[in-house]
């Protein structure tokens, strides 16, 4: 059997300051750039409602 390739391993990653829209927790998350996922998981409440803080300024 061959090795399984994960495409996200080859995409650039960035570290952003995130804010959870559900519980308000501010945390740092390293995530893959170039994805169209608007929400990320929150470590405080286990919901997928975190967004980068810079995107809140654009709203």
């Amino acid at each position: 059997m061959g090795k399984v390739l994960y495409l996200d391993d080859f995409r650039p990653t960035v570290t952003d300051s995130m804010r959870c829209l559900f519980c308000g927790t501010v945390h740092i998350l390293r995530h893959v750039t170039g994805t169209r996922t608007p929400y990320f998981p929150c470590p405080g409440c286990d919901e997928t409602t975190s967004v980068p803080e810079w995107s809140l300024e654009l709203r």
Side-chain angles (χ1 to χ4, degrees), residues 21-47:
L21 299 176
F22 187 73
C23 68
T25 302
V26 176
H27 59 97
I28 303 296
L29 181 68
R30 184 174 179 182
H31 62 92
V32 176
T33 60
T35 60
R36 295 182 184 202
T37 306
Y39 301 105
F40 297 92
C42 174
C45 63
D46 293 331
E47 296 288 332

Side-chain angles (χ1 to χ4, degrees), residues 2-54:
K3 183 179 177 185
V4 176
L5 293 177
Y6 293 101
L7 294 178
D8 286 344
D9 292 343
F10 299 101
R11 292 182 181 162
T13 58
V14 66
T15 303
D16 274 331
S17 177
M18 302 286 205
R19 179 178 300 272
C20 180
L21 299 176
F22 187 73
C23 68
T25 302
V26 176
H27 59 97
I28 303 296
L29 181 68
R30 184 174 179 182
H31 62 92
V32 176
T33 60
T35 60
R36 295 182 184 202
T37 306
Y39 301 105
F40 297 92
C42 174
C45 63
D46 293 331
E47 296 288 332
T48 307
T49 55
S50 291
V51 294
E53 285 195 320
W54 60 263

